[in-house]
Amino acid sequence: NSPITDVTDPTDPQDAATKAYVDNINVTNGTGISVSNPSPQNFQVAVTNPVIAIGRITGGTDSSIGATVTNNSGGSYTVDLTISPAPSDYTVQLTTNSSSGPRTIQVTNHAATQFSVQIYDGSTGLTSDSDWYFTVISF
């Protein structure tokens, strides 16, 4: 039950570590988690999230993260990705709210930082507003 005191910082793998040495391990956020101390054991833990934008459009109102959505009317929407730098390659997943009846939703234009969406009434084939959701995944 006696404390070990005046221990120097470890230099070999089998050395004991001091409380101060352990307390000074720095973990920071960014594109991943970087552990920058202790210096003899530096490593990078890359934790990446492929989802770069998500959104829900309800009653024509945009609730999204990583993008802004413009309602062009008639079931036409423009989604501008706000992430910087812009992804070099991404995939868009779309879903409509089935409570509005049958709907078809599709990407009509796919550019570097923007894509367009068109929604059609599944019964008539005519363009139609609807509540819808999107997920954008980067590769």
Side-chain angles (χ1 to χ4, degrees), residues 77-103:
Y77 299 85
T78 303
V79 179
D80 289 292
L81 301 177
T82 57
I83 189 168
S84 180
S88 59
D89 191 15
Y90 64 92
T91 298
V92 178
Q93 297 174 326
L94 303 170
T95 306
T96 60
N97 183 339
S98 61
S99 67
S100 302
R103 296 285 188 263

Side-chain angles (χ1 to χ4, degrees), residues 22-84:
V22 173
D23 287 347
N24 287 328
I25 294 175
N26 299 319
V27 178
T28 57
N29 65 354
T31 57
I33 300 172
S34 296
V35 178
S36 58
N37 259 335
S39 58
Q41 299 172 1
N42 278 349
F43 61 93
Q44 174 84 15
V45 179
V47 180
T48 57
N49 184 354
V51 176
I52 59 172
I54 57 174
R56 177 181 66 203
I57 293 68
T58 307
T61 302
D62 169 27
S63 298
S64 60
I65 298 170
T68 57
V69 179
T70 303
N71 184 347
N72 303 319
S73 77
S76 173
Y77 299 85
T78 303
V79 179
D80 289 292
L81 301 177
T82 57
I83 189 168
S84 180

